[in-house]
Amino acid sequence: MKHKLLSFFVGSMILTSVAFAQEKKVSGRVTGADGKPLAGVTIAVQGSNVATQTDANGNYSLSVPTGKVIVFRSVGFADKTLIVKEGQSAFNVTLDNSENALEEVVVTALGISKNSRGIGYSTSKVSGDDLVKSGEANIIQGLAAKASGVQITSSAGTPGASSKIVLRGAATFSGDNQPLIVVDGVPIDNDMNFVKAGDDPYNQNLAGVQLGNRALDINPDDIETVTILKGPAAAALYGQAAGNGAIIYTTKKGKLGSGLGVTFSSGFELQKVNKLPDLQNKYGQGTGGVFSSSTADSWGENLANVGKPSYNNVEDFFQNGSVFTNNLAITSGGDKTTMRFSVGSTNNKGIVPNSNFNRYTSRLSSETKLNDNITVGGNFSFTNSNTRAAQNGSNLAGVMLSLLRSPVDFNLADYKNEDGSQKQYFASYDNPYWSTENNPYKEENTRFLGNVYTDIKLNKTFSLSWKTGLDTYSTNGTQIYAIGSIGDDNNSGLGEIKRSNVNYKNVYSDLLLKFKHNISEDFSVSGLLGGNFNYTQALTNFARGRELSMPGYYNFASAKDLYASNSESYKNSRAIFLDATFDYRSILFLTLTGRNEWSTTFGRDSKGFFYPKADVSYIFSDLFKESPVVSFGKIRLAYSNVGISPSVYSDRAYYTVPTIADGMTNGFSFPYLGQTGFAISSVAVAKSFKPERNVGYEAGLEMKFLQNRLGFDFTYYQQKSSDLLLSQPIDPTTGYANYYNNIGKIKNTGVELSVNGHIVKSENFNWNATVNWSKNNNEVYELAEGVEKLSIGSAFSSPQSYAIVGQPFGVIYAQKFQRNDQGQVLIDPNSGLPLYEAELGSVGSTIPKWLMNFNNEFSYKNLSFSFLWDFRKGGKIWGGTNANLINRGKAEITADRERNYVIDGVYASGTNAGQQNTTEIPATTYFRNYLGNSSSEIAIQDGSWARLRSVDLSYRFNKVSKAIQYIQVGINLRNPILITKYKGIDPETSLTGSNQNFAGYDFFNNPGTKSYSFNLRVGF
């Protein structure tokens, strides 16, 4: 017996040694039927725990014993098995779409995965790798130029600045026009945590700092895929939260059978300013050709004539910014349990001195099959971020206002006196060097996101799914204005400190009964019946101390004047819904959706509201099964009626603390002289109002040709928003000035086109190209009776943004020149200057005429190269910065000032009425009163651009060692080329950030950036 056991043991060892000796490296590339590389495909050795996954370029490498079977597996594709034979080491594999999922799987509303074949509305899908390649820290900005019908605007290039996203145009006047942001099936908050004093009547977004939108808390390296649900039909299951569409982010998870894997990535990015205004360096500070320190203007002496030096203040001020990113991810996948744990850091030093953004993230996801019928899982993430932001905009302590207006004969860099006080070229402006050092805005945010879920298979027809998620964060902000700074609220130079904090919590839970049943051989039905609950609370506190007694001691104990305010908001919503898809032979699909929702935002006694949706998908290409040309064809039709919820507590009039503003000072408010005071709101509220409605109609055509080598997706949509809430003027004898009710209407009509082609497809070389083009026409077509125009945001006296019947939402109004019937400008014969209309008039829409992007991806063996062009046609921008610089003699054009000018136009009156103007005016008059009039139409510019948004080059070294599966190195360029006629900074800018409905304002905004980065990724 012992002899037999010994023989068996020796034989086993010999066989094992032989098997080990025959183990070999295999590698290759995995693509789909369209030739595009497939990331995240699991390649596993059958019957073992040996496995790996393809990278972003579809490449893989692993060790496999000869004779073993390797399995290629990916969701939405048919499994493919191969036997490793002697002499074989390279396997380039093409995965075919599975029989039950002929098109890719798309994550839709509520996190439900659906086969795109049966979806009757337009969606766009962006990979997480594309977010990472964009080089953007903000997962919203990372979507720029990645899909049709999506407009994204970065507020600035400073660390932590916000990005705004709008899908298919504005749908509401006063609510948020941004889409719902969803992570792993749970809606999250994407607001800007802007807290201002309760006694401040002005729009502080015109000054202050650029805060971040809270989606900035998500690490792009943790994202697997992004689904953009652009229309109300796509996001209808979210009801009153879906009026502006939804962005569905799905995070990375472990995969069954993948074994243990470790990935580490690191990157360094060098940032520079990508565009600045053109300035003159010939004339110094003063007026009338004479030096004067009592003005900030540069109409002074010719420096060459008086022998004064000039300084390059603007370019010398900005420093090279840097971004260090590090990410570590550990994944495992066994037979029943998967896990992924990741940590990441982003450290961004800004182009503005003393500005930075640091983010530290961790995420854990796990899922376990308890048995064949029950699966449980969860996702948990924690983020800590801190920002030191740069002052911005119409701000006496701001960076760009003081910097761009600085005379070239004053050396800004010599900014500090021996006692630490600042050196100023003009008493009303802070020196930007001193301000960035002594007037910091610091913000720290801690955030927890998590959810737990379970899926229970009840029988062949029914399954039960339950998920509960939590989104909670705390943000603490501190703004300091040092003693001697002019930036404090009163511009007094006496010092000020502001502290604010936001505590936010959102609890979301849904319970879904899913079903799928084959009624007959040709007919089946699937879908879900469910309900959800959502609770949100937001608590804010603000405290301010003025007139500090001790320099450098920033405590309220040092302040003589103290003020505090706070706010609280709570909201509950509940809903039940049904989504059912009827499938006829996988050719014709009909989906019907209904959601009934109850929300506290409509008042205590409000009834629920119903939101219906229907869509149809017809796969007509089955009529051409034998066609060598037509590979796929699909027609889509969709109808939806979803809502937009009013803001919390807008259902009634409240007593408030009144504030009296005069437009010149910070105004007066209670408590006043030690007395408190309250007054009823001046806005009467309808006894009951309805949700704002967005009714959408959509039709689409998808086709693929030549075995999926070429394809396009065309969509036409019309979305009508009605019952929009706005304030209507009423008789003041009622005790109110306005009446708040459902009255307004707005319409968006547009087309979206995506064309993609696998231009070259070979064993070693591939070239894929995609073009996205979209156009949206927006029109306001009803306001309240007696209301001619509705201001959509408190800004400047001119220009202003309005909603006006017959015009696009947010049209800019400014001073307009008087013109004759031929459109010629009318000139005052006495002054030689243009005449202006008595009232402000429309000077253009901020909405682009069209958007387009062109993406190319090349691969040759292990080398990958891609570049993305982004085009925007039209869209007006108020170039307030450029006009002001002209007015002050700083713009380059004003260097030609030693002659007279004649304004193009005709005389308005007099003996020469109607004749061409020939009246010469001095250069100072021409520039200050004409080109430099920032309140007039002359300051409105075209915001068109063509930009090379990104270039990416990478190479992958496979099977570097037994422990290292691959090393991938790459370089990335972001915004290396910008072509635009816009005079100023990068026209992708927004003074008011992401939480305002009006856009297109540039008044000393902080500039944008371009960058060059090196990246390293290692897989173990």
Side-chain angles (χ1 to χ4, degrees), residues 605-623:
D605 302 321
S606 66
K607 298 179 181 179
F609 298 97
F610 183 68
Y611 308 102
K613 186 268 291 184
D615 64 77
V616 176
S617 172
Y618 173 52
I619 314 299
F620 65 85
S621 54
D622 279 28
L623 301 174

Side-chain angles (χ1 to χ4, degrees), residues 51 258-263 329-333 1019-1020:
S258 63
L260 179 65
V262 179
T263 303
I330 302 172
T331 60
S332 70
F1020 299 93

Side-chain angles (χ1 to χ4, degrees), residues 122-195:
S122 174
T123 65
S124 291
K125 188 176 180 180
V126 178
S127 72
D129 292 322
D130 285 337
L131 288 186
V132 174
K133 284 200 305 182
S134 73
E136 301 287 355
N138 193 324
I139 61 171
I140 298 297
Q141 187 63 32
L143 294 175
K146 301 295 193 302
S148 61
V150 180
Q151 183 180 357
I152 295 176
T153 305
S154 172
S155 57
T158 46
S162 66
S163 291
K164 181 176 182 177
I165 179 169
V166 176
L167 309 179
R168 296 183 175 177
T172 178
F173 292 153
S174 56
D176 188 0
N177 276 297
Q178 296 192 89
L180 180 70
I181 304 300
V182 181
V183 177
D184 290 330
V186 177
I188 69 165
D189 182 62
N190 185 37
D191 204 358
M192 285 174 58
N193 293 330
F194 186 84
V195 181

